[in-house]
Amino acid sequence: MGFSFQCQARCSHSKARAGIFSTPHGLVETPKFMPVGTLATVKGVTAAQLEATGAQMVLSNTYHLHLQPGETIVAGAGGLHRFMGWKKPMLTDSGGFQVFSLSQLRKITEEGVIFRSPRDGRMINLTPERSIQIQNTLGADVIMAFDECPPYPAQRSDVEAATERTYRWLERCIKAHQRPDEQALFGIVQGGVYLDLRVRAAESLAALDLPGYAIGGVSVGEPAELIHQIVEVTAPVLPPEKPRYLMGVGTYREMARAIASGIDLFDCVIPTRWARHGTVVVGGERWNLKNAQYREDFTPLDASCPCYTCQNFSRAYLCHLVRSREILAYTLLSIHNITELIRFTEKIREAILGDRFTEEFAQWL
């Protein structure tokens, strides 16, 4: 099975759509939240537990896997899927965002980015060609183009230069890509908070007829309202017959509003990061389980949630684990949080299929 995207239903009151993204490792029913497994593991959760959350596609990170264990070891294990025991679709991020967040340790040129490894101090030269080569070796179903992610806030001239360089780097990524039949290369729309730059970038990427498209460079510190404007303006410019992915977004409101603009895929580290701080998401609300109110509460987190955590344990037990800093707390809270965000996108999908999206999810729109 190769790659295709089939739109099954469109909302009559918004640009929301439900579809099926086909990959060599199976189908992804969109819209869908994708858990982040940076180092070929979703922190604290086994592949079997991950599958039980309803996850259909998982992310790993090129930059982190290149530093440890190295892509040749992953390839020696039979590729990323076999290495981490995940049989369903996978996506690798290009490493661009991570490299650009190392502002003190890196130097950007037209050729690429030279940076000092925070792991062992060696100098690494990451170019578009090298990023694609590493991703070809890792073997995920979807690979991302190497892009320059400008910070927020940034001068318009700097953002414009980064956006133009991202396009030139994308052309080099396309040339370097050795496995187009097995791996779909997605381009990334940059442009900061400048809507005209976003539209121009989206139009130039759309002309390249790639297998899919991402909107990057949001969730880097700008207000939620600006993220919404960027997505609202950019998404409709991207080809309707291709999947659209909003990078690094995973809250209820941001996902619902992005879906209303025509976005299909999301990823975020929120579910596992919050879990490690004793925080759960219930019905879109954040609860801190360290709070004393949960110490003698013997009800489940959410009686309607089918996850292993909610079906087997009380708030009191989870509060006890969190306060005791037991490792099991992070696993159980992660299982619930991942299930919660995936269920949210699944419910939206059902609503779009029945053309009830804008009425059922009005509170988040």
Side-chain angles (χ1 to χ4, degrees):
M1 175 169 54
F3 295 93
S4 66
F5 180 76
Q6 176 201 352
C7 183
Q8 296 170 292
R10 294 179 192 280
C11 170
S12 56
H13 302 291
S14 72
K15 295 187 175 72
R17 59 202 200 154
I20 293 185
F21 177 40
S22 302
T23 81
H25 283 90
L27 306 175
V28 183
E29 296 170 322
T30 66
K32 182 68 87 176
F33 176 80
M34 304 181 287
V36 177
T38 303
L39 276 159
T41 169
V42 174
K43 287 193 192 311
V45 180
T46 69
Q49 289 167 333
L50 195 55
E51 191 162 354
T53 66
Q56 290 180 330
M57 191 168 193
V58 174
L59 267 74
S60 276
N61 186 266
T62 300
Y63 160 81
H64 289 289
L65 289 171
H66 174 60
L67 296 183
Q68 165 66 35
E71 61 276 12
T72 49
I73 289 176
V74 175
L80 199 49
H81 292 85
R82 195 166 287 177
F83 188 54
M84 70 177 280
W86 178 254
K87 298 180 175 69
K88 293 186 175 186
M90 288 200 71
L91 180 153
T92 43
D93 185 355
S94 69
F97 177 76
Q98 283 69 32
V99 170
F100 294 108
S101 60
L102 296 171
S103 53
Q104 305 305 311
L105 301 169
R106 58 150 169 86
K107 181 185 176 197
I108 305 169
T109 67
E110 186 62 30
E111 182 57 25
V113 185
I114 298 168
F115 66 96
R116 187 176 296 283
S117 165
R119 192 170 277 275
D120 59 13
R122 70 195 156 106
M123 297 305 290
I124 296 173
N125 186 10
L126 196 56
T127 62
E129 291 80 8
R130 189 79 183 94
S131 173
I132 296 299
Q133 183 188 11
I134 295 167
Q135 292 187 82
N136 282 165
T137 305
L138 292 171
D141 301 86
V142 173
I143 65 176
M144 302 304 297
F146 191 62
D147 60 328
E148 182 175 347
C149 181
Y152 174 84
Q155 298 283 343
R156 183 187 165 95
S157 56
D158 294 340
V159 175
E160 196 157 14
T163 306
E164 288 168 1
R165 181 178 282 143
T166 290
Y167 181 81
R168 294 192 296 274
W169 282 0
L170 172 58
E171 292 181 307
R172 286 164 58 187
C173 287
I174 293 167
K175 278 188 190 148
H177 187 19
Q178 297 293 308
R179 302 175 64 184
D181 296 336
E182 303 152 278
Q183 297 181 291
L185 173 63
F186 280 26
I188 303 174
V189 178
Q190 289 291 354
V193 296
Y194 303 100
L195 301 183
D196 60 316
L197 295 184
R198 288 280 180 178
V199 170
R200 200 193 314 160
E203 286 171 345
S204 59
L205 264 64
L208 295 172
D209 192 30
L210 297 164
Y213 295 87
I215 299 175
V218 298
S219 274
V220 290
E222 69 283 73
E225 199 48 50
L226 274 178
I227 297 176
H228 177 56
Q229 285 176 18
I230 291 164
V231 174
E232 199 174 33
V233 164
T234 310
V237 182
L238 297 172
E241 71 282 4
K242 304 290 175 70
R244 301 169 182 151
Y245 161 33
L246 180 59
M247 306 179 79
V249 166
T251 62
Y252 270 34
R253 188 173 305 280
E254 262 69 73
M255 288 197 293
R257 294 180 76 176
I259 288 166
S261 295
I263 296 292
D264 307 299
L265 297 166
F266 303 88
D267 80 282
C268 195
V269 295
I270 276 177
T272 49
R273 180 174 289 168
W274 283 4
R276 293 195 300 281
H277 291 93
T279 300
V280 286
V281 189
V282 180
E285 293 180 0
R286 286 174 69 173
W287 294 359
N288 182 352
L289 288 180
K290 294 188 189 102
N291 290 347
Q293 72 191 82
Y294 301 114
R295 291 186 75 169
E296 296 181 49
D297 186 339
F298 302 107
T299 59
L301 278 177
D302 179 353
S304 71
C305 178
C307 83
Y308 173 74
T309 305
C310 289
Q311 292 300 309
N312 291 283
F313 305 103
S314 68
R315 297 171 185 180
Y317 180 64
L318 298 170
C319 174
H320 155 65
L321 292 180
V322 169
R323 283 168 163 255
S324 307
R325 297 187 176 172
E326 281 291 336
I327 293 169
L328 183 59
Y330 313 138
T331 296
L332 293 180
L333 301 196
S334 293
I335 287 171
H336 170 75
N337 286 347
I338 294 166
T339 305
E340 176 85 11
L341 293 187
I342 289 171
R343 277 179 78 216
F344 182 70
T345 53
E346 286 174 346
K347 286 175 191 166
I348 289 181
R349 174 181 161 78
E350 288 303 314
I352 295 168
L353 289 169
D355 203 12
R356 304 182 309 274
F357 169 56
T358 48
E359 55 187 274
E360 285 189 13
F361 291 86
Q363 72 179 106
W364 302 109
L365 299 171

